[in-house]
Amino acid sequence: NEKSGEEAMENSEPVQQSDEENSHSISSNDSSTDEEQESEGQALHSDDQKGWRVKLYQLNIEGQWDDKGTGYICCKRLESLGEMGLHVINEVDSTDLLQSKLLEDDVYQRQGENIITWNEPKGAELALSFQENQGCLEIWGQIADFQGESIRQTRECPLFSNASDMVSNNRISNSARLPEPSWENLPNILETLLTVNASPNIQLKESIANSLLEKDAEYFEKLLAIFSDGKDLEDHQSLRTLCAIFKFIICLNDAGILETVLSDKFFISIAEVFEHDPELKQQPNHREFLEKKVQFREILPIEDPETVAKIIQNFRVTFLKETLLRPMMDDVVAAKLNGVTYFNNNAIVCYLYKDSDYVKNIFQIFQTPNLEQVRRRDVSIFLKELTSSAKTLPQQTKDDFYTFLWEEVPLFDSLAMILSDQKASPEELSACIEILLNSLSHDPSSFRAQVVRKGSHPPPPPYTATLQPGATLGVPPIEPFKTKDNALAPTAMESKNLLFWAIHCLTNEQKHKQDEGLVVQSFEACRLVIESETTEAQVDRESFLRTFYEHYIQWLVVPFWNDDDEIEAGTASKISRAYLCDLLSYCVRAHTYRMKYFLLRNHIVNRVLRLTRLKDKFLQLAAVRFLRSCVGARDEFYNRYIVKDNLFKPILQLLKQNAGRDNLIISAILELLEFIRAENIASLVEYIVERFEPEFSFMENNRVLQGIIIRFEQNRENKASEDNESRNSEASKTVQHRRRLFEEDEDEPYFNESNDEADNGPPPLGTSVEQDQDSENEPPLAPLVPYDLLK
């Protein structure tokens, strides 16, 4: 692409000469006519003249373009090489700037209007920046001639018969018209269209487009008549030229031209022209496909002819965009075609559900007794196409459309009815899950509310009856649950809740064994349902999660109760379990305590880790990811559960099996161990080192494993230090306690002695305990008050 080439060389690409440099270019006399100027320019190209003025650049190791000088280039046979080559002579001292042998390999590229780049066999990347666009075209054409036109077939246009057609530089006025359609003018028509498409002049493009549409698009009819004759004569060169002409006509990006191309009159004939696109490896048969294989089928007759026309036009736009123009479609043209589809979809959907009772009548078909499966399949596919078309609707229109489907017609009940049918075809199942996906992509909260409100929840699966409530964690059930016959209990079959049947499509092998794509669709639907972060109200979130964990989560893990030989049976079953691991991992991260108690009560972690025994690497990796989610929850419940059931044993066995390899399994396990070390989950660090350190010899130099051991030693040292500090603290408390008791013992005689004195009467005033103790032998002082007389 010219645009991408210019962007790739931005700030470092070879630049075109400035106006000042242009003043040094060779020009003819002012008095000469245009024909004389052209003849002099042609004479300038001969070997005895200088040639076209260019700058030579070379890409350096830093990715920048080095200017190697300015000179004149010509393409001729070089005596020093003995072959045809590009010769650039320095304009200052006439020395050789470049002598490059022309290469037969497809290494030359045109960047923009005036730049040619290529890689030399020795590795140097060179670029020529021409002062004149005409010079670039002439040298490019000579290179193409040397290579047998291979470059033009892949880089420019595959349809010129000689290089001189690319060199012409005719000026086209705003009122210009394309040359009259004829065998001889096909190259000129193509060249004119190339020039018009490369021009920034919008009026010029509009003028050419209007001329093509004159007289009821008579120009198209003449070109198609030439195509018909060329096909009879097997003139493949002309057929390829016509294919390029129609491509560039469409690239004019005119609404009238697009409408003409998509019309009943021209579409199939133009599609047949594109069968001769030289970029196709194998020639298709578009006419046969459009006339015989493509059929417009109506479930019920659509009475509005405009709606029918828009539906047909949408199909043609899609076919044109994805089949005919895909190799070279321009972004502007794609945007134009997408705009046509957008407005058509809006009108179609509004008519079918709002302006008529068409959609209501479609749902009444589901209520028909003994409905044929083929007709039910057609209805399902129609609803899938309808909801897919609604993706591009304006937001308000889309809201109204899905409100209509959820409240005024029994959409979810109809889907549940089909998914619960054991005889439903893969096409029906896929269409129903796709409809559910489209609805969930728009508003999952409404579906969650419907699950809670609807009721009709399924009973617990059979495996729950085999669990022993008082069993030790990690002990498998006595009678493993097997689903080889994939039969559901009658009570489960009676459930009309769509969520249950979506889970059933993901977990039941009979449902997806014929269509592995159904597994992916069912997983996406279940993922959108359980992503409760999208629930707006906290009350709605809690209500849905309570319902989900009471009635549905048990069915999500049913496949993990199957035997290993059943897992080995089919690819779809393996893919299903990998997706289930991802769903469970999300629940561990998002639903915290609900998921924690469910996992521990039902021994789910043990069951999931059985996947490490299988040979499939993606299943092993899924099991590691699930355990990583449990450890990442940073919950001691999980940690004690892992330690008690020795759940790291299969993980480290898997690490040992892959020792010496460099794969995702090694990376995932080492990342898990590094997370435990970095977060210093002490219970897991101690468990891993004490149980598995002797087995680390197979990766004794691994930094992560050594880090786990170092962390264990650090934790042990810290624990010992803490124990010492604790003992010292206890000793200090004991000393303080004894000192306090000693002081209390010293105070006790005082209180005893005081009591004795109190019994004999109060001591005389002015005496104290200290005085009494210090002067035991001294005579007592006479009392100041004669207490005996007072008695």
Side-chain angles (χ1 to χ4, degrees):
N1 294 327
E2 294 180 357
K3 182 178 179 181
S4 62
E6 292 173 354
E7 292 176 349
M9 303 177 69
E10 185 179 0
N11 299 327
S12 61
E13 68 176 3
V15 294
Q16 301 176 13
Q17 281 74 12
S18 62
D19 294 337
E20 182 180 355
E21 292 173 327
N22 291 343
S23 63
H24 298 291
S25 62
I26 299 176
S27 60
S28 56
N29 295 331
D30 295 339
S31 59
S32 61
T33 63
D34 292 341
E35 294 181 357
E36 290 174 343
Q37 291 179 6
E38 182 177 354
S39 63
E40 289 181 13
Q42 295 289 345
L44 188 63
H45 308 162
S46 60
D47 292 344
D48 56 345
Q49 298 294 330
K50 291 182 179 179
W52 296 99
R53 193 164 185 264
V54 296
K55 273 186 175 292
L56 176 65
Y57 293 86
Q58 182 175 348
L59 192 68
N60 59 31
I61 59 176
E62 298 178 353
Q64 303 295 323
W65 290 97
D66 295 333
D67 186 353
K68 296 297 182 180
T70 304
Y72 296 92
I73 186 173
C74 61
C75 182
K76 64 180 181 179
R77 183 176 180 84
L78 301 176
E79 297 181 358
S80 59
L81 300 177
E83 298 184 42
M84 290 290 293
L86 298 175
H87 188 200
V88 181
I89 301 176
N90 195 317
E91 67 177 358
V92 178
D93 53 12
S94 299
T95 57
D96 291 338
L97 285 179
L98 175 69
Q99 286 191 1
S100 175
K101 171 186 172 182
L102 285 182
L103 304 174
E104 295 181 359
D105 298 332
D106 188 13
V107 297
Y108 298 94
Q109 295 184 4
R110 268 187 64 195
Q111 306 283 349
E113 296 289 334
N114 291 32
I115 297 173
I116 296 177
T117 63
W118 74 97
N119 289 329
E120 287 287 313
K122 296 182 179 180
E125 185 170 352
L126 303 177
L128 295 172
S129 180
F130 288 79
Q131 177 177 320
E132 301 287 344
N133 173 254
Q134 186 176 355
C136 181
L137 291 174
E138 180 176 299
I139 297 299
W140 181 257
Q142 292 174 352
I143 296 172
D145 283 343
F146 174 81
Q147 291 188 327
E149 299 188 1
S150 62
I151 291 178
R152 281 169 293 172
Q153 292 177 1
T154 56
R155 300 285 185 231
E156 281 287 296
C157 173
L159 311 166
F160 291 117
S161 58
N162 54 64
S164 61
D165 293 329
M166 296 181 64
V167 180
S168 62
N169 193 24
N170 298 329
R171 295 184 178 274
I172 303 176
S173 64
N174 291 347
S175 60
R177 305 171 64 88
L178 293 178
E180 188 67 19
S182 65
W183 290 99
E184 298 78 10
N185 284 340
L186 289 182
N188 294 331
I189 295 173
L190 180 57
E191 178 191 354
T192 304
L193 285 171
L194 280 169
T195 307
V196 171
N197 275 280
S199 173
N201 192 333
I202 299 177
Q203 294 181 351
L204 172 62
K205 296 180 180 180
E206 292 178 353
S207 176
I208 294 294
N210 292 333
S211 68
L212 293 172
L213 298 176
E214 290 178 352
K215 298 181 181 179
D216 197 18
E218 182 181 8
Y219 202 95
F220 282 76
E221 295 179 354
K222 293 180 180 180
L223 289 176
L224 292 174
I226 296 174
F227 171 79
S228 179
D229 295 340
K231 190 170 67 170
D232 294 337
L233 298 174
E234 297 183 354
D235 187 351
H236 299 293
Q237 180 69 18
S238 298
L239 296 178
R240 290 194 292 270
T241 304
L242 282 166
C243 178
I245 288 173
F246 275 103
K247 279 188 177 182
F248 286 109
I249 287 176
I250 294 174
C251 288
L252 291 173
N253 199 29
D254 182 80
I257 287 181
L258 290 178
E259 185 176 353
T260 302
V261 170
L262 297 172
S263 64
D264 297 337
K265 182 178 180 181
F266 292 110
F267 183 73
I268 294 180
S269 298
I270 292 176
E272 186 180 10
V273 174
F274 280 89
E275 295 176 5
H276 300 274
D277 190 342
E279 297 184 5
L280 299 176
K281 295 181 179 180
Q282 185 176 0
Q283 181 175 340
N285 194 335
H286 297 321
R287 176 176 285 276
E288 180 182 356
F289 175 77
L290 294 172
E291 289 183 341
K292 297 181 179 180
K293 296 184 179 181
V294 174
Q295 298 179 0
F296 177 66
R297 293 185 295 178
E298 300 173 277
I299 307 300
L300 296 173
I302 300 176
E303 298 177 356
D304 184 21
E306 292 185 3
T307 302
V308 174
K310 286 181 171 62
I311 294 173
I312 296 174
Q313 189 180 61
N314 270 5
F315 165 77
R316 290 175 177 173
V317 168
T318 304
F319 188 81
L320 177 66
K321 183 172 60 175
E322 297 184 359
T323 304
L324 303 184
L325 295 179
R326 187 168 186 173
M328 61 157 288
M329 183 172 57
D330 185 76
D331 291 341
V332 179
V333 178
K336 193 79 170 182
L337 294 174
N338 290 336
V340 174
T341 305
Y342 173 82
F343 290 109
N344 284 348
N345 282 341
N346 194 9
I348 293 168
V349 174
C350 288
Y351 171 79
L352 293 178
Y353 91 92
K354 183 188 295 185
D355 300 336
S356 68
D357 294 332
Y358 193 87
V359 174
K360 290 184 178 180
N361 296 333
I362 285 292
F363 277 94
Q364 290 179 358
I365 296 177
F366 284 118
Q367 311 301 325
T368 304
N370 301 322
L371 179 63
E372 296 181 359
Q373 187 172 359
V374 175
R375 186 161 177 78
R376 190 179 69 178
R377 181 201 64 191
D378 293 341
V379 172
S380 303
I381 295 175
F382 167 78
L383 292 175
K384 182 191 74 172
E385 296 294 337
L386 183 63
T387 54
S388 297
S389 300
K391 291 179 179 179
T392 60
L393 295 180
Q395 188 61 41
Q396 184 60 48
T397 305
K398 191 189 301 185
D399 292 340
D400 295 340
F401 172 68
Y402 278 105
T403 301
F404 170 82
L405 290 182
W406 295 336
E407 298 181 0
E408 299 189 30
V409 293
L411 173 65
F412 295 140
D413 290 344
S414 300
L415 297 181
M417 178 187 66
I418 297 175
L419 294 178
S420 63
D421 187 358
Q422 300 299 315
K423 298 181 180 180
S425 64
E427 292 84 359
E428 290 180 275
L429 298 176
S430 178
C432 289
I433 296 297
E434 186 71 23
I435 295 169
L436 177 60
L437 267 176
N438 293 334
S439 301
L440 291 173
S441 299
H442 175 67
D443 184 12
S445 299
S446 298
F447 178 76
R448 297 190 192 106
Q450 191 271 347
V451 169
V452 177
R453 184 174 61 252
K454 176 69 176 178
S456 185
H457 304 302
Y463 78 84
T464 56
T466 65
L467 294 175
Q468 300 178 0
T472 304
L473 292 178
V475 177
I478 297 176
E479 297 179 359
F481 174 61
K482 299 183 179 181
T483 58
K484 288 185 178 180
D485 55 356
N486 292 281
L488 290 175
T491 53
M493 290 294 298
E494 295 175 359
S495 175
K496 301 299 182 184
N497 205 303
L498 182 56
L499 176 57
F500 169 71
W501 293 109
I503 294 174
H504 189 58
C505 286
L506 176 60
T507 59
N508 188 273
E509 183 178 353
Q510 290 294 332
K511 288 287 186 182
H512 52 60
K513 69 178 182 179
Q514 297 179 359
D515 184 9
E516 296 178 3
L518 185 62
V519 178
V520 181
Q521 291 177 307
S522 303
F523 162 74
E524 288 295 331
C526 294
R527 181 184 62 82
L528 289 174
V529 172
I530 67 175
E531 283 186 351
S532 54
E533 285 78 3
T534 58
T535 306
E536 296 179 359
Q538 182 68 16
V539 177
D540 296 338
R541 180 179 187 273
E542 293 299 321
S543 177
F544 170 75
L545 290 180
R546 182 171 59 252
T547 302
F548 179 74
Y549 277 89
E550 287 179 0
H551 302 286
Y552 295 96
I553 187 69
Q554 299 92 342
W555 288 98
L556 202 62
V557 297
V558 163
F560 294 108
W561 260 258
N562 291 352
D563 294 336
D564 291 343
D565 57 348
E566 295 181 33
I567 301 177
E568 295 282 0
T571 304
S573 298
K574 298 175 183 178
I575 297 174
S576 172
R577 281 158 180 79
Y579 281 131
L580 288 173
C581 287
D582 292 340
L583 288 178
L584 295 177
S585 298
Y586 172 79
C587 291
V588 169
R589 296 190 300 269
H591 300 163
T592 58
Y593 72 93
R594 283 190 173 91
M595 189 62 179
K596 174 177 63 179
Y597 289 118
F598 172 74
L599 292 180
L600 303 187
R601 185 172 60 249
N602 295 277
H603 322 298
I604 303 301
V605 182
N606 311 63
R607 289 286 176 175
V608 172
L609 291 180
R610 290 169 54 203
L611 296 178
T612 58
R613 307 174 190 172
L614 304 180
K615 298 179 181 179
D616 302 275
K617 301 297 183 184
F618 72 96
L619 288 178
Q620 298 173 350
L621 195 59
V624 175
R625 288 200 305 269
F626 174 68
L627 185 62
R628 171 65 173 81
S629 298
C630 294
V631 174
R634 299 181 180 87
D635 193 319
E636 277 301 313
F637 278 97
Y638 284 118
N639 298 339
R640 288 196 295 269
Y641 177 63
I642 290 170
V643 173
K644 187 172 184 179
D645 288 3
N646 195 19
L647 296 183
F648 261 84
K649 181 178 180 180
I651 299 299
L652 293 177
Q653 286 178 347
L654 193 60
L655 179 64
K656 187 174 181 179
Q657 293 172 7
N658 290 270
R661 302 176 186 175
D662 187 11
N663 55 27
L664 278 176
I665 294 177
I666 289 286
S667 299
I669 297 176
L670 292 179
E671 191 276 334
L672 171 59
L673 296 174
E674 175 63 18
F675 174 80
I676 294 173
R677 185 204 66 80
E679 296 294 326
N680 195 16
I681 305 177
S683 57
L684 294 182
V685 170
E686 181 181 358
Y687 155 68
I688 292 172
V689 174
E690 289 184 348
R691 291 216 185 174
F692 303 106
E693 182 181 5
E695 302 179 16
F696 287 174
S697 58
F698 64 91
M699 296 181 70
E700 58 184 1
N701 295 325
N702 185 271
R703 180 183 60 83
V704 176
L705 297 180
Q706 294 300 320
I708 286 280
I709 297 174
I710 294 173
R711 177 67 73 183
F712 170 73
E713 294 173 351
Q714 292 174 346
N715 290 345
R716 188 166 55 182
E717 292 175 358
N718 293 338
K719 185 177 181 180
S721 176
E722 291 175 359
D723 291 342
N724 291 333
E725 291 178 0
S726 177
R727 285 194 294 270
N728 294 335
S729 176
E730 291 295 333
S732 176
K733 290 181 180 179
T734 302
V735 171
Q736 293 176 3
H737 179 66
R738 290 177 178 176
R739 183 178 300 156
R740 187 166 59 251
L741 291 176
F742 178 75
E743 292 175 355
E744 292 176 355
D745 292 341
E746 288 182 340
D747 293 339
E748 189 171 355
Y750 161 75
F751 291 104
N752 292 335
E753 196 170 321
S754 299
N755 290 336
D756 294 340
E757 292 177 355
D759 294 339
N760 298 326
L765 293 177
T767 63
S768 63
V769 176
E770 289 78 2
Q771 291 175 345
D772 184 61
Q773 291 176 349
D774 294 338
S775 57
E776 291 180 352
N777 300 323
E778 295 180 4
L781 297 176
L784 296 178
V785 180
Y787 291 100
D788 295 337
L789 296 176
L790 292 176
K791 291 180 180 180

